[in-house]
Amino acid sequence: MSSLSAGTEDRTGSLADLSSAPSAGQIVRHNDKELLTVKEGLAYILIPRPTTKPESDLEEAATPQAVFYNPIQQFNRDLSVLAIKTFGEECLSARRGRLAARSQHVHGDAETGRKRGKKRKRGISERGKLVPDEPQTGEDLDKSGEAATSKALAPSKGEEADQDSAAPNVPEANTGDSIDKLAEDAVIQVKANGSGDSPFESGQEGPSQQNGAREPGATKSPQPKFRILDALSATGLRALRYAHEIPFVTAVTANDLMPEATQSIRTNVKHNRLDDKIHVSTGNALAHMYSLVGQPTGKPRDGLGGSKYDVIDLDPYGTAAPFLDAAIQSLNQGGLLCVTCTDTGIFASTGYPEKCYALYGGVPVKGPHCHEAGLRLILHCIATSAARHGLVIEPLLSLSIDYYVRVFVRLRHSPAEVKCLAGKTMLVYGCDQGCGAWTTQKLARHTEVKGKKGAMYYRHGLAQGPSAPERCQHCGYKTHVAGPMYGGPIHSPGFIQRMLDGLAAMDAETYGTKDRMEGMLLTARNEKLGISSSQENRFDAAKVDPHPFFFIPHNLAKVIHCETPNENAMRGALRHLGYGVSRSHCKPGSIKTDAPWTIIWEVMRQWAKQKKPIREGAIKAGTAGWGIMNGGGSSDVGKGTSVVCEPAKEDDAAADAGSPLGEEVITGAVDPSRSAADQRPKGVKVVFDEKLGMAKDGKRVLRYQVNPTANWGPMVRAKGSG
């Protein structure tokens, strides 16, 4: 964990220099300056030695720094190390599998000594290099290293022109399917080794060499590269930690615009003895990333990786929006983009909607779920930027943390899947001044159909609208529009589970935020609603999140002026009705559910009736609470549509997914023939079963951070030495 506080104490004895072995709290003299050694993770950085201890946390936070360093973001850096390590293990496992398959394909079977088919007919040139077998699409890249499990998207007639028409016309029997099968088998072999090493590492003889003499011109097996860019590096702490703590990283580039920052990075790199792994660059991050545009991104079956970066980390002071397009074009095929945005006053507040739209292409939401909506605005910005280049995004982990957000997104080239983006981009109609309910509106729709040859593909069209009336159907207040924003899943439960598996082996002393990482990852993983265990490891580009936000019982109780139901009682009531319930990682006390708002408000009405009656005269006519308790709001009584509750059909897959208990599910159905005064659900028996609503994690975990100090936040931007 960070050792910043250790340097405020005076030390006796001689001062160390850069050649000395680094240690926490060590005082180093360099260029006639005394520097304090701060340890975080396995890395050490040098910062100016504090002459006096700040009288308060506010004074420390307001003091300008020559090079920016914020110890509060240790959780961000710990989480990034874990996420990149998890992603890298999958990426390199796939690449090693492809290298093994390629070697088998070129050199032949080690046991029989026979080569796998004829060179030219099997897609191999006379020099032993791969020749394109078929048009390269996004499906060529198997992101997990195993056989692709994502739903096949058969191209329509118009899409065939988007494919690479210059690819040779190879007979069906001679396509790259044999290489894919070998790659799959090789990945299984790599995973079976336990250590994740390639079946034959550098310096070890490959299959073609184990039968005896080395073939003429044979060389050592090439090894896959794994390169990371820390585009806005400041002190270089992230680059140092990635180089120290991720063993398979081959190169890290630490870039910063300020000469003072890059000089500090070089000093820290030398002090950590990482000169051979970290390259320091001084310059504009945009110029550096755009210089890689046009460089090869690596062939899907090559296994070596391209000339671009495998991971790009954007951690600016403020918004990352100006850097997204350049970063997207600087990633290798299937690369990972890590983005931090700290301008929550823009994307999670309605104070500057025009600024939010200018940066992220959408208008923010007003309400307690504004931070989750902010995450979706940022993902929308990344997705639309990527779509212009034929890239589809797969959000692996998206978190709202303290005063910032952090997202980890995988990008793949797939023009066919990009067409699904409009169908999972949504507007939000929010009753932010009334009861707090919301309704989503997709911009387009995609329907799965079967082609002439039996392959499934999506047909795209316009969405019907609007999805909500002008006034809220629950309380009668006016609604406001937010978005457009990303409407797909914001997490990959399978990826998060692999992160949790890797977290168990991490040292709690080295990673001081391990407990908090476990709690937040568990909460994020359990946010899945309507996702079966078989779908956790499968990415579907057309998947829409039908339950994108959460609510907080305290806010609902304020509307109808009653005591707040405890979380277990509220969750138990919803589960008793057959709905799925989880927490949100964004805020304590939050509830995510697949229950419609008609059911949520009926549960609140029953709470006030059964448990905590409302004081007479507490609700005034014309208020949102009056509308809720009287069925639709005074302004809409007798005019609006009404909602009745009906049992779900047996073939309703969405309802079945949200009913893990196997009970009868009650869903909302619009009935225009009924008045708003008769809007309350009928036949619903609400039972506040607190035992059923209790969390089932099995142990207590730290889900939400408590501010460790007063005036805690992003601190002051670095000013440089001038």
Side-chain angles (χ1 to χ4, degrees), residues 19-313:
S19 61
S20 304
S23 61
Q26 181 185 55
I27 304 299
V28 175
R29 178 174 290 277
H30 179 66
N31 291 339
D32 297 326
K33 295 180 180 179
E34 292 187 3
L35 305 173
L36 169 66
T37 304
V38 177
K39 182 181 180 183
E40 184 179 292
L42 298 179
Y44 299 86
I45 63 168
L46 297 170
I47 64 174
R49 182 183 185 185
T51 55
T52 58
K53 186 174 182 179
E55 295 182 0
S56 66
D57 298 316
L58 180 61
E59 179 183 340
E60 181 180 4
T63 303
Q65 303 179 71
V67 178
F68 186 79
Y69 167 65
N70 189 354
I72 299 302
Q73 283 210 9
Q74 182 181 357
F75 176 77
N76 186 325
R77 292 183 284 266
D78 286 353
L79 186 71
S80 300
V81 169
L82 177 60
I84 295 174
K85 185 182 294 185
T86 303
F87 167 80
E89 288 170 352
E90 297 178 12
C91 180
L92 291 183
S93 177
R95 289 181 182 175
R96 287 168 178 150
R98 295 188 189 102
L99 282 172
R102 182 185 179 193
S103 178
Q104 275 188 303
H105 195 81
V106 174
H107 300 297
D109 195 327
E111 296 180 359
T112 64
R114 294 186 302 174
K115 295 187 177 181
R116 299 255 182 181
K118 296 180 180 180
K119 291 182 179 178
R120 176 60 63 180
K121 289 186 177 180
R122 292 294 186 238
I124 306 298
S125 69
E126 294 298 332
R127 295 183 179 181
K129 295 183 179 179
L130 284 174
V131 174
D133 306 299
E134 55 187 7
Q136 298 294 324
T137 67
E139 296 174 8
D140 290 336
L141 178 63
D142 176 11
K143 57 184 178 293
S144 65
E146 301 176 0
T149 56
S150 61
K151 188 175 298 183
L153 300 176
S156 61
K157 293 181 180 180
E159 294 170 2
E160 294 176 358
D162 298 335
Q163 307 274 342
D164 184 6
S165 59
N169 185 14
V170 182
E172 182 177 356
N174 295 331
T175 62
D177 294 340
S178 58
I179 297 181
D180 287 339
K181 183 61 173 66
L182 288 172
E184 181 181 353
D185 297 339
V187 169
I188 295 174
Q189 179 183 356
V190 169
K191 291 183 176 180
N193 290 341
S195 62
D197 295 335
S198 172
F200 47 95
E201 296 294 340
S202 179
Q204 183 179 349
E205 294 183 343
S208 63
Q209 303 162 10
Q210 293 175 356
N211 290 331
R214 189 187 299 265
E215 287 187 339
T219 59
K220 294 182 179 180
S221 301
Q223 293 302 299
K225 299 176 294 184
F226 194 84
R227 303 174 63 213
I228 300 176
L229 170 64
D230 183 9
L232 307 159
S233 198
T235 61
L237 179 55
R238 288 178 183 271
L240 293 167
R241 292 197 59 180
Y242 296 157
H244 264 305
E245 300 169 30
I246 305 177
F248 48 78
V249 168
T250 56
V252 180
T253 299
N255 177 82
D256 203 279
L257 180 64
M258 295 171 54
E260 295 88 351
T262 52
Q263 182 57 46
S264 173
I265 295 171
R266 290 188 179 93
T267 301
N268 288 326
V269 169
K270 184 176 180 180
H271 194 48
N272 283 265
R273 297 170 172 80
L274 291 172
D275 305 78
D276 59 333
K277 189 174 285 189
I278 298 179
H279 169 70
V280 182
S281 169
T282 305
N284 189 297
L286 292 173
H288 177 82
M289 290 186 286
Y290 275 130
S291 68
L292 298 174
V293 175
Q295 297 293 324
T297 60
K299 297 179 181 179
R301 299 191 183 99
D302 190 315
L304 294 175
S307 301
K308 300 183 179 182
Y309 292 102
D310 299 292
V311 178
I312 294 181
D313 193 328

Side-chain angles (χ1 to χ4, degrees), residues 180-450:
D180 287 339
K181 183 61 173 66
L182 288 172
E184 181 181 353
D185 297 339
V187 169
I188 295 174
Q189 179 183 356
V190 169
K191 291 183 176 180
N193 290 341
S195 62
D197 295 335
S198 172
F200 47 95
E201 296 294 340
S202 179
Q204 183 179 349
E205 294 183 343
S208 63
Q209 303 162 10
Q210 293 175 356
N211 290 331
R214 189 187 299 265
E215 287 187 339
T219 59
K220 294 182 179 180
S221 301
Q223 293 302 299
K225 299 176 294 184
F226 194 84
R227 303 174 63 213
I228 300 176
L229 170 64
D230 183 9
L232 307 159
S233 198
T235 61
L237 179 55
R238 288 178 183 271
L240 293 167
R241 292 197 59 180
Y242 296 157
H244 264 305
E245 300 169 30
I246 305 177
F248 48 78
V249 168
T250 56
V252 180
T253 299
N255 177 82
D256 203 279
L257 180 64
M258 295 171 54
E260 295 88 351
T262 52
Q263 182 57 46
S264 173
I265 295 171
R266 290 188 179 93
T267 301
N268 288 326
V269 169
K270 184 176 180 180
H271 194 48
N272 283 265
R273 297 170 172 80
L274 291 172
D275 305 78
D276 59 333
K277 189 174 285 189
I278 298 179
H279 169 70
V280 182
S281 169
T282 305
N284 189 297
L286 292 173
H288 177 82
M289 290 186 286
Y290 275 130
S291 68
L292 298 174
V293 175
Q295 297 293 324
T297 60
K299 297 179 181 179
R301 299 191 183 99
D302 190 315
L304 294 175
S307 301
K308 300 183 179 182
Y309 292 102
D310 299 292
V311 178
I312 294 181
D313 193 328
L314 299 177
D315 184 32
Y317 191 99
T319 179
F323 305 98
L324 293 177
D325 184 74
I328 286 167
Q329 297 186 69
S330 305
L331 278 170
N332 279 325
Q333 170 75 299
L336 180 69
L337 181 61
C338 314
V339 179
T340 299
C341 291
T342 62
D343 56 329
T344 51
I346 302 297
F347 61 76
S349 165
T350 54
Y352 306 95
E354 74 289 348
K355 181 67 172 178
C356 184
Y357 185 84
L359 290 176
Y360 302 108
V363 177
V365 163
K366 183 177 182 181
H369 53 290
C370 60
H371 289 85
E372 185 165 355
L375 279 171
R376 295 183 178 277
L377 285 169
I378 294 170
L379 289 173
H380 168 72
C381 184
I382 298 173
T384 52
S385 296
R388 297 185 185 99
H389 306 286
L391 298 169
V392 64
I393 72 165
E394 179 189 359
L396 300 177
L397 179 65
S398 308
L399 298 177
S400 172
I401 309 167
D402 306 328
Y403 56 88
Y404 61 93
V405 298
R406 181 71 164 166
V407 298
F408 300 89
V409 177
R410 189 191 338 242
L411 291 100
R412 299 184 298 110
H413 185 263
S414 179
E417 291 182 320
V418 165
K419 296 180 180 181
C420 295
L421 178 59
K424 58 180 183 182
T425 300
M426 65 183 183
L427 297 173
V428 179
Y429 299 101
C431 183
D432 48 60
Q433 294 182 343
C435 66
W438 65 80
T439 305
T440 61
Q441 167 75 64
K442 302 299 184 293
L443 297 187
R445 61 181 178 179
H446 39 253
T447 307
E448 190 177 17
V449 296
K450 182 179 291 188

Side-chain angles (χ1 to χ4, degrees), residues 522-596:
L522 281 171
T523 305
R525 185 198 63 183
N526 294 336
E527 285 182 12
K528 57 181 181 179
L529 290 171
I531 300 178
S532 63
S533 56
S534 61
Q535 297 175 317
E536 290 185 359
N537 293 304
R538 194 188 82 183
F539 171 67
D540 185 353
K543 176 69 175 177
V544 173
D545 188 351
H547 320 290
F549 303 122
F550 59 87
F551 70 88
I552 299 178
H554 171 69
N555 295 74
L556 306 188
K558 287 171 62 177
V559 173
I560 60 175
H561 297 271
C562 72
E563 290 189 22
T564 303
N566 64 69
E567 294 179 38
N568 290 340
M570 193 72 183
R571 287 196 295 262
L574 292 171
R575 285 174 176 165
H576 187 270
L577 291 173
Y579 294 100
V581 179
S582 69
R583 292 183 175 92
S584 170
H585 74 276
C586 294
K587 284 191 176 182
S590 57
I591 293 179
K592 288 180 73 79
T593 179
D594 53 1

